[in-house]
Amino acid sequence: MVKRILGIIMASMLLAGLSFIVGGCGGKQGSPGGQAKEQKIEFPTKPIEMTVLFGPGSGADLLARKVAELAGKELGQPIAVVNRTGAGGAVGYSYVKEQKPDGYSIVWNSNSINTAYHAGNMNFNYTAFSGVAELTTEPVSLAVKADAPWKDINEFIEYAKKNPGKIRIGNSGKGSFTHLVAVALENKTGAKFTHVPFGQGLAVSSLLGGQIEASSQLPAEIMSQVKAGQVRILAITGEERLKILPDVPTFKEKGIPLTLSLWRGIAVPAGTPEPVIKKLEEAFKKVAENPEFKKFAEEMGANIEFRGAKEFDRFIAEQDKELAALMEQIGMKKQ
C-alpha cells in the first residue's frame, strides 16, 4: 500500500515537471516574436531618393542637398536628390505619394504641403504623408534695391499706404508661402500692394531689373545680392534676428506683428512602417545636431528647429488650419 502511494506521488511529480517544461517551452516559442520587434531592421539596404519640390540652386535645394549628404552618412546609404518642380510643390508631392511606402522615397517637405492643397493644386492633403522630422525654419525677408528710397520698413509701409497698389511685390508664385506673407503684411498694416507671382529665382532678377519695387523671399534666395550690395532687406518675419543678418530687424521689432516662418523637414508616404520611420528619424536628428549642418543652415539664413515624427505630424496639422484660414481670408482657398 505504501509503495502504491509513493508511486502515485512520484507520478504526480513527474507530470508536474513535464507540465512546467512544456509551459516553459511554450514561453520560449513565443519569445522570437517579441524579440523580432526589438531586432534592428535591415534598412536601408539600397540608396534612398529625396524629392525636392523646387529648382536646383534654390534655398530649399541647397539645404536639402546638405541634409542628404549628412543623413546618407548616418544611414550608410547615399541619398540622391531629385528636383521635381511645379504647381507650388504639387508635382513633387504627387510623385512621392504614389511611391511604395518603404522608406526609399522621401520628400523634403514644407508649408507647401498645406498651401498646394488649399490652393487646389492637388486633391490630397498632408495626411497622405507621415512626418519623419522637422529640421529648419526660415523667416521671409522683404527686400528692395540698394538705391531704393526706403531705408526703413515703416517708411516703406507708409509710402504703400499713401499710394495703394503702386508698390509691386514679387513672390515665388501665386498662393506660395512668400505670397501669403506679403498678403499677411497687408492685413497687419492696412497697406495695399500689387502682388506679382514669379517662378523660382525670377523675383530677384525682376527686382534688380526694376520691374518690381520689392521682393518677398526667403533670405537664402537673395543673400548673394545682399552681400554684393545690390539689394537691402528691410525686415524679416522671424521671432528673432538672423545671425547672418544682424543689422536687419524683425517686423515685430518695428511694431508690425508678423512672425510667419517657413519650416522644412522630411516626410514619407503614409503607411511606411514605424521601424523604418524611426530609423530615418534617428538619422535626421543626428543631422540637426551636426555642427557642420548648424553652420551651413546659419549661412543659409535658416534656424535649426527639430521635431520628431509624432510631434512633426501634430505640428503640420496645426499649421494646416492656420494657413487654410489665411488663404480663405484672401480668397485663395479652393478646398
Side-chain angles (χ1 to χ4, degrees), residues 250-309:
T250 65
F251 282 96
K252 190 176 179 180
E253 280 181 65
K254 305 300 287 187
I256 302 170
L258 181 60
T259 55
L260 289 172
S261 288
L262 180 72
W263 53 261
R264 297 193 192 280
I266 300 294
V268 290
T272 300
E274 285 297 322
V276 171
I277 291 177
K278 185 65 177 176
K279 187 75 176 289
L280 289 169
E281 178 188 10
E282 290 171 354
F284 288 106
K285 186 175 189 296
K286 289 179 181 178
V287 171
E289 296 168 347
N290 188 316
E292 182 181 347
F293 181 66
K294 288 181 178 180
K295 182 180 179 182
F296 185 84
E298 181 181 314
E299 292 172 349
M300 291 291 293
N303 295 315
I304 303 296
E305 189 168 335
F306 180 84
R307 284 184 172 89

Side-chain angles (χ1 to χ4, degrees), residues 124-147:
F124 56 88
N125 67 4
Y126 67 94
T127 59
F129 301 89
S130 292
V132 171
E134 179 195 357
L135 292 170
T136 64
T137 59
E138 298 164 66
V140 173
S141 65
L142 190 132
V144 296
K145 284 184 68 176
D147 60 359

Side-chain angles (χ1 to χ4, degrees), residues 181-195 258 330:
V181 166
V183 171
L185 181 58
E186 287 182 314
N187 295 339
K188 298 292 185 182
T189 63
K192 183 63 180 175
F193 309 119
T194 295
H195 301 278
L258 181 60
I330 62 176

